[in-house]
Amino acid sequence: MNILGKNSKEDEWVSLSDIMTSLMLIFLFIAVYFIVSTKDIIDFPKVFQKNEVMLHAELNKVLKNNLVNWGAELDTTGLVRFNNSQFVQFETGSSKLSPQFEKVIDEFFKNYLTVVMKPEIEKNIKEIYIEGHTSTYWSRNSSEQESYIANMNLSQARAQSTLVYLLNSPGLSVEQKKWLSKKVRAIGYSSSKPLNNVGEPLNTGEKENPSKSQRVDIRVVTTTEEQIRKLANDHFENEGSS
């Protein structure tokens, strides 16, 4: 009886092991199928990264000889940041462009628009943001929340005054101004993106450079995300109908 009982238990253990092995194989096949069937979705960001690469290459080609004179930097995403190394864009608490910055903005956008208005570039551009920023400082008697709100109004005013200046600029054509009206947005970020002494985003423990934080950045928003989302939706719709 003991021998029979032992064999019976071993048989039950073997059967359970077989079941677990079979289940593991099934899960493995499902995982492999999922990876293979969605590989093209995973590769979408790589495919459409060419939007940013093309934009940066074209902007760099046209702007690189003047970036230093304008006190500006161009990063790989197409963001243009005026780093205030040679002049002040805005006086503290003011949204009025300084005379030096007016001259720079005129020269910059004449060149900038020759790139972003190209059909092969424009088709991948959703919007262009003129981003207004402030330092984290305000009146000493203000609370942190009051300072943030006040700086929000100021940052929005800085972005808006820059766009209004461009729309009234005699140096831009009617066609260019129409394009700006259609594509460019003025957005204020308050004091949420302060800069350090070298004009880079402030890290924990670093000291803010208030004059560099008081600025506008020019950022391109491409249609990459929308294209990826559309292809992903198309993929799953095709999978569902197959």
Side-chain angles (χ1 to χ4, degrees):
M1 291 294 291
N2 290 337
I3 295 176
L4 290 175
K6 181 178 181 181
N7 289 340
S8 177
K9 289 181 179 179
E10 288 178 350
D11 290 341
E12 289 175 2
W13 174 251
V14 170
S15 299
L16 181 59
S17 298
D18 289 342
I19 292 173
M20 293 299 295
T21 301
S22 299
L23 287 173
M24 288 180 66
L25 287 173
I26 292 172
F27 289 141
L28 177 61
F29 288 141
I30 292 173
V32 170
Y33 173 78
F34 179 82
I35 292 172
V36 172
S37 66
T38 59
K39 180 179 181 299
D40 51 342
I41 295 178
I42 295 172
D43 287 341
F44 284 167
K46 295 180 181 179
V47 172
F48 288 102
Q49 188 180 22
K50 65 182 181 181
N51 291 353
E52 283 77 12
V53 171
M54 179 190 297
L55 174 64
H56 176 265
E58 291 296 317
L59 285 174
N60 189 57
K61 187 190 305 181
V62 172
L63 303 177
K64 63 180 179 180
N65 292 332
N66 291 303
L67 286 173
V68 173
N69 295 332
W70 294 330
E73 297 174 350
L74 171 69
D75 76 6
T76 55
T77 67
L79 172 80
V80 176
R81 171 164 291 146
F82 296 95
N83 58 31
N84 286 1
S85 59
Q86 288 120 318
F87 57 87
V88 173
Q89 298 177 43
F90 304 94
E91 295 294 340
T92 300
S94 173
S95 61
K96 179 176 173 55
L97 282 67
S98 69
Q100 299 98 317
F101 192 45
E102 287 181 350
K103 181 179 179 182
V104 165
I105 281 291
D106 272 332
E107 293 177 356
F108 168 78
F109 264 91
K110 285 178 186 177
N111 291 272
Y112 187 76
L113 291 175
T114 63
V115 175
V116 296
M117 289 179 67
K118 288 182 178 180
E120 65 271 24
I121 299 292
E122 182 193 17
K123 69 179 182 180
N124 294 319
I125 293 179
K126 180 180 180 181
E127 292 176 324
I128 293 177
Y129 292 166
I130 296 178
E131 300 179 341
H133 300 274
T134 73
S135 69
T136 58
Y137 302 104
W138 196 257
S139 170
R140 291 183 179 180
N141 297 323
S142 301
S143 67
E144 185 175 341
Q145 183 177 8
E146 289 171 336
S147 296
Y148 184 85
I149 293 172
N151 279 323
M152 174 60 75
N153 294 332
L154 178 58
S155 66
Q156 183 65 43
R158 285 175 172 168
Q160 186 172 330
S161 64
T162 303
L163 179 54
V164 169
Y165 176 81
L166 288 169
L167 293 174
N168 289 322
S169 173
L172 299 182
S173 67
V174 173
E175 180 185 3
Q176 289 173 324
K177 291 178 181 179
K178 285 183 178 179
W179 195 91
L180 287 171
S181 299
K182 181 176 68 173
K183 287 286 188 179
V184 180
R185 304 290 178 264
I187 299 177
Y189 283 88
S190 188
S191 55
S192 61
K193 298 184 178 182
L195 302 181
N196 59 22
N197 284 328
V198 293
E200 295 178 349
L202 196 66
N203 294 315
T204 303
E206 288 185 326
K207 187 176 181 181
E208 178 186 1
N209 185 314
S211 66
K212 290 185 181 295
S213 295
Q214 298 166 185
R215 71 194 191 278
V216 291
D217 295 338
I218 312 300
R219 184 187 303 275
V220 175
V221 180
T222 69
T223 58
T224 297
E225 183 179 345
E226 292 180 354
Q227 294 180 53
I228 292 173
R229 187 182 298 111
K230 182 179 185 302
L231 285 177
N233 289 337
D234 290 346
H235 172 89
F236 286 118
E237 287 177 2
N238 291 335
E239 285 290 309
S241 60
S242 62

